[in-house]
Amino acid sequence: MSEKEIKNLEALFDQRIARDEKIEPKDWMPEKYRKTHIRQISQHAHSEIVGMLPEGNWITRAPSMRRKVALLAKVQDEAGHGLYLYSACETLGISRDELFEQLHTGKAKYSSIFNYPTITWADIGAIGWLVDGAAIINQVPLCSTSYGPYARAMIRVCKEESFHQRQGYEIMMTLAGGSPEQKELAQDALNRWWWPSLMMLGPTDAESVHTEQSMKWKLKRKTNDELRQQFIDQTVPQADLIGLRIPDPDLKWNEETNHYDFGAIDWDEFWQVVKGHGPCNTERLSARIQAWEEGEWVRDAAVAYADKKEDKKLKKAI
Amino acid sequence: MDNSLYNYILGISDNTLILGQRLSELCGHGPNLETDIACTNIALDLLGQTRSYYQYVAKLSEGQSTEDDIAFLRTEREYKNILLVEQPNTNFGYVIIRQFFYDVFHLLLLRELQNSKDETLAAIAKKGIKEVSYHQRFSSDWVKRLGDGTKTSHNKIQEAVDDLWKFTDELFYLTEDDKSAVISGIGVDVSLLKSSYYQIVEEVLQEATLTIPELKWFRKGGKEGIHSEHMGYLLSDLQYMQRTYPNMKW
Amino acid sequence: MKKNWPLWEVFVRSKNGLEHRHFGSLHAADADMALENARDVYTRRSEGVSIWVVPSKHITASNPEHHGELFEPAQDKVYRHPTFYNLPDEVKHM
């Protein structure tokens, strides 16, 4: 194809998206569209399965049977969401094994928030409330993104996620309304998870490299800063309601803007964690690699067994 | 409260608790996503059954204890699960064999228990049969895949069979409380399940090209509260929160 | 060795009376496992009463480049639709 022809196709392609038409796997798409989608969808999928680890850390120690089954079901959902997203990604011509390879070699990224440790039970509440809360804000607009398989996966994810945040907030509410010791657990968790949750919505618009293109392809509907403001505005009253204090001395309602003003985010910390120097980067990645490597003989056995069965069937037919 | 009935029910439900706890350790660490999700489903079934039993036991105790007291606040000697279910997740072969050895027994047990004179137990059993039938199907399929898969998988799962076989006989042991539950028409005489059990197990192992161990000695003790050394660590995880922060609502 | 589990497409009937609908895909070594995995992955919230699984490689798909010749000729066949026919409003049951 000549360069001019490609330009032409690209223009038509952009018009389709502008008309809110969906792009499906076999449709022609610019190489950059394919690559960007592989990057974003797989990063999203990796975040789901790496995200299982910090919460999975507390399944065996959950404080009641009710909490135990809820947490187990929640972490299992994350495996499911990872699976839906990997499947969506595979429609772009890359295999799940290749995507795992990218994760394991550090070539692919996942959400930095999961590099923070879960050191008390209250962290499970904070993750459900804040991290899932921020994730939902990010995810809901993706239900109408331009790439069909991604949008469909996100619809399923969002439907299932609705219990996750409630689960987390209920944990926090119970702690905040419990003994002084429990309330302290809740406040401590909020203190540690608040700022990383704000960072989770991505670098400021000035620093964000992908925003413009992503807006055009409907991978993004709002900028990072808009999403962050939305998150803060909706979360502060939730903290007030259960008597917890947001750890930001500069946080103040602004009558003029109708939004909360908030303090400066420590972006140095954010970039440190992104670059692999967070508290748990090594642990998270090695847990994933270990599970994958230790599972190899199991996966191989299943293929070998299936082949044998297929052979037997063929022999019978002859 | 009828102590004997209380103990009889714990003798069933501690197995589902401890096996559920073991399986839930795997969540996020399975050989691939699909298998991870499947194992977690089994864990959720088992923990769900445990909750039904414990809630019933709590009701029998007339306000003396709650579901969570029973799950979290007993000493090791008071847990009545068999040794098999507390064995660690050494590798996926052990996970599957432990599951399979328990599933076959579990299904036979529930099929009898649904005829119990105790209506609540009968109802819990009836509901459980559907879940456990699926567990047995899942674990038997995997026994065959690993047994008749590659040479590596065959050796690994054979090792698990050889190692865990010694815990199977305890399934058919009756404590004094079990005996009185049988006499009153509430409990199941598990010793009668033995021949069906080994017939099913051996059939699947044979199909999986695995060798049935010729073991003449077996280990038991869990039902009387004498556990393996693994149990203490399992309980310190399980009980951590309730022990660290006593008398609180979560 | 390292051979990947093939991809399967999953179709679920959410209740009797409805058709099987494409729900998504998953990996499995064989058909039995694909069915079991589909049950565990796609019907955790009682979404289904029946499942079909099909190896993805056995699906033949139409080519979007042939969209014009395949689908556009149907667009001007308006007489296939009831609104093509002009009837007075007084006619009932039609």
Side-chain angles (χ1 to χ4, degrees):
Chain A
M1 235 184 286
S2 75
E3 216 168 286
K4 199 177 155 208
E5 279 172 310
I6 292 181
K7 276 263 173 299
N8 205 4
L9 279 170
E10 280 178 0
L12 285 172
F13 182 85
D14 287 344
Q15 285 164 20
R16 286 184 64 192
I17 293 183
R19 282 197 303 270
D20 256 336
E21 267 182 52
K22 296 284 184 221
I23 307 302
E24 293 296 344
K26 299 190 91 175
D27 293 350
W28 183 87
M29 60 185 80
E31 203 40 38
K32 198 170 166 216
Y33 182 89
R34 183 189 304 277
K35 286 218 171 97
T36 304
H37 276 75
I38 289 178
R39 197 191 61 232
Q40 172 158 342
I41 302 172
S42 67
Q43 196 169 317
H44 195 163
H46 297 327
S47 300
E48 294 281 356
I49 60 160
V50 175
M52 295 172 77
L53 299 168
E55 288 180 281
N57 187 27
W58 279 89
I59 293 170
T60 60
R61 292 179 292 170
S64 72
M65 290 299 284
R66 179 173 178 269
R67 294 286 178 217
K68 190 188 282 290
V69 292
L71 181 60
L72 191 50
K74 178 185 186 238
V75 180
Q76 182 197 40
D77 270 353
E78 278 151 18
H81 299 168
L83 193 152
Y84 308 152
L85 290 161
Y86 283 123
S87 298
C89 205
E90 282 179 277
T91 62
L92 291 162
I94 187 164
S95 74
R96 196 197 288 176
D97 288 50
E98 287 172 272
L99 295 170
F100 278 166
E101 183 72 26
Q102 293 179 354
L103 173 67
H104 297 161
T105 54
K107 209 182 134 205
K109 296 268 178 271
Y110 55 87
S111 182
S112 279
I113 192 96
F114 301 119
N115 289 320
Y116 289 88
T118 49
I119 54 181
T120 74
W121 168 250
D123 292 3
I124 301 308
I127 290 185
W129 174 32
L130 303 172
V131 176
D132 286 291
I136 291 168
I137 285 185
N138 249 331
Q139 287 171 352
V140 169
L142 287 173
C143 294
S144 54
T145 188
S146 65
Y147 188 55
Y150 192 23
R152 289 192 286 276
M154 287 318 299
I155 289 170
R156 189 174 292 279
V157 168
C158 286
K159 211 155 83 187
E160 296 187 352
E161 286 246 329
S162 54
F163 98 79
H164 293 186
Q165 200 193 7
R166 294 172 70 100
Q167 180 254 179
Y169 190 67
E170 196 196 72
I171 291 175
M172 290 304 257
M173 196 171 71
T174 312
L175 293 174
S179 69
E181 241 174 324
Q182 284 175 304
K183 186 159 186 184
E184 203 180 302
L185 280 176
Q187 185 62 55
D188 169 61
L190 173 55
N191 293 349
R192 282 180 290 108
W193 289 92
W194 175 253
W195 293 104
S197 301
L198 296 189
M199 295 177 201
M200 198 185 147
L201 293 153
T204 53
D205 297 348
E207 298 267 332
S208 185
V209 280
H210 303 301
T211 296
E212 198 191 339
Q213 182 63 268
S214 297
M215 288 275 196
K216 205 165 84 187
W217 287 337
K218 297 179 180 168
L219 273 168
K220 249 182 198 292
R221 292 265 152 129
K222 289 180 183 172
T223 69
N224 294 349
D225 287 335
E226 286 169 336
L227 293 171
R228 195 167 6 253
Q229 188 67 56
Q230 183 188 340
F231 174 71
I232 293 170
D233 289 348
Q234 75 180 44
T235 309
V236 175
Q238 293 168 353
D240 289 344
L241 190 70
I242 55 176
L244 295 179
R245 190 175 25 78
I246 302 284
D248 179 357
D250 299 324
L251 188 83
K252 211 172 78 213
W253 179 252
N254 184 327
E255 290 287 351
E256 272 167 46
T257 58
N258 257 332
H259 291 295
Y260 282 93
D261 293 336
F262 55 97
I265 295 173
D266 180 0
W267 290 108
D268 285 346
E269 177 183 321
F270 175 78
W271 292 113
Q272 283 298 314
V273 182
V274 170
K275 284 180 187 136
H277 309 302
C280 295
N281 294 58
T282 322
E283 288 87 339
R284 299 294 182 243
L285 214 47
S286 46
R288 283 313 316 160
I289 294 170
Q290 195 187 346
W292 187 243
E293 286 177 352
E294 284 179 359
E296 186 170 324
W297 69 272
V298 177
R299 298 189 301 273
D300 286 350
V303 174
Y305 179 76
D307 289 348
K308 278 188 203 172
K309 258 201 337 197
E310 200 56 34
D311 278 355
K312 269 186 211 154
K313 230 166 57 190
L314 283 175
K315 271 187 197 132
K316 251 192 204 157
I318 298 164
Chain B
M1 177 178 65
D2 180 352
N3 245 323
S4 170
L5 177 60
Y6 180 92
N7 286 334
Y8 176 70
I9 302 173
L10 292 187
I12 298 172
S13 49
D14 285 352
N15 288 327
T16 50
L17 172 72
I18 301 301
L19 189 54
Q21 173 80 358
R22 273 289 183 232
L23 278 178
S24 60
E25 289 171 14
L26 287 173
C27 182
H29 306 274
N32 69 357
L33 280 176
E34 285 82 354
T35 320
D36 204 311
I37 292 171
C39 290
T40 304
N41 260 356
I42 297 177
L44 283 168
D45 285 343
L46 293 172
L47 294 172
Q49 292 172 20
T50 308
R51 295 192 67 194
S52 306
Y53 290 119
Y54 284 177
Q55 283 165 6
Y56 179 44
V57 172
K59 210 173 110 194
L60 290 176
S61 80
E62 288 164 358
Q64 299 287 306
S65 59
T66 66
E67 167 195 8
D68 288 335
D69 296 340
I70 298 163
F72 300 105
L73 291 175
R74 282 179 285 154
T75 63
E76 181 173 327
R77 291 283 275 107
E78 291 169 316
Y79 284 86
K80 299 176 197 312
N81 58 284
I82 51 167
L83 297 176
L84 173 70
V85 295
E86 71 200 42
Q87 297 310 304
N89 302 324
T90 308
N91 62 39
F92 193 70
Y94 276 77
V95 171
I96 288 300
I97 289 298
R98 183 185 62 204
Q99 192 63 39
F100 172 62
F101 283 175
Y102 190 69
D103 290 342
V104 174
F105 168 80
H106 198 186
L107 188 56
L108 292 170
L109 171 77
L110 295 184
R111 282 195 177 136
E112 294 303 318
L113 192 63
Q114 67 174 331
N115 305 317
S116 168
K117 272 190 185 164
D118 184 303
E119 281 175 17
T120 311
L121 282 185
I124 298 174
K126 211 169 221 157
K127 180 164 173 281
I129 287 172
K130 292 178 193 148
E131 296 171 343
V132 177
S133 305
Y134 186 77
H135 302 172
Q136 185 179 323
R137 179 173 143 177
F138 177 85
S139 60
S140 314
D141 282 355
W142 270 105
V143 170
K144 292 176 212 162
R145 283 190 195 106
L146 298 179
D148 196 15
T150 63
K151 207 164 166 253
T152 311
S153 71
H154 178 89
N155 292 342
K156 280 193 189 255
I157 197 164
Q158 182 69 57
E159 190 194 322
V161 170
D162 293 345
D163 207 15
L164 296 177
W165 187 262
K166 60 178 174 286
F167 298 114
T168 52
D169 191 60
E170 191 187 9
L171 291 162
F172 312 103
Y173 169 79
L174 288 140
T175 63
E176 288 309 313
D177 293 315
D178 293 347
K179 285 177 193 159
S180 46
V182 172
I183 290 166
S184 60
I186 290 174
V188 177
D189 184 350
V190 287
S191 66
L192 302 177
L193 306 176
K194 196 165 172 171
S195 64
S196 318
Y197 177 84
Y198 282 110
Q199 200 189 329
I200 300 168
V201 166
E202 287 174 15
E203 246 169 54
V204 173
L205 292 184
Q206 266 161 9
E207 203 189 324
T209 72
L210 292 164
T211 313
I212 292 139
E214 287 176 39
L215 207 61
K216 293 284 175 278
W217 59 277
F218 291 92
R219 280 192 57 192
K220 63 174 191 289
K223 281 190 178 177
E224 302 285 3
I226 301 166
H227 294 277
S228 56
E229 288 182 350
H230 303 296
M231 186 68 172
Y233 295 97
L234 184 149
L235 289 183
S236 41
D237 268 359
L238 182 74
Q239 300 187 339
Y240 170 71
M241 288 299 290
Q242 291 272 347
R243 295 290 186 199
T244 313
Y245 305 96
N247 302 317
M248 295 181 198
K249 282 207 166 50
W250 299 98
Chain C
M1 186 169 83
K2 200 163 189 314
K3 269 174 81 180
N4 301 336
W5 289 4
L7 196 64
W8 300 71
E9 300 302 319
V10 178
F11 300 82
V12 177
R13 184 201 295 289
S14 32
K15 63 177 189 188
N16 274 8
L18 297 179
E19 68 277 61
H20 285 77
R21 199 166 62 78
H22 185 236
F23 259 48
S25 54
L26 49 73
H27 289 267
D30 55 51
D32 290 335
M33 195 203 279
L35 266 184
E36 288 173 12
N37 290 348
R39 176 258 193 195
D40 288 324
V41 171
Y42 288 104
T43 64
R44 296 199 300 287
R45 290 177 168 83
S46 343
E47 291 95 333
V49 294
S50 161
I51 302 174
W52 291 345
V53 289
V54 187
S56 307
K57 64 173 185 210
H58 288 164
I59 289 188
T60 311
S62 63
N63 187 337
E65 277 169 36
H66 303 151
H67 181 272
E69 63 199 71
L70 286 176
F71 307 113
E72 277 169 30
Q75 283 170 9
D76 65 353
K77 312 293 191 292
V78 282
Y79 43 79
R80 287 202 172 101
H81 301 281
T83 45
F84 178 73
Y85 303 93
N86 296 318
L87 296 184
D89 289 346
E90 298 82 66
V91 188
K92 300 288 178 212
H93 308 295
M94 198 173 282

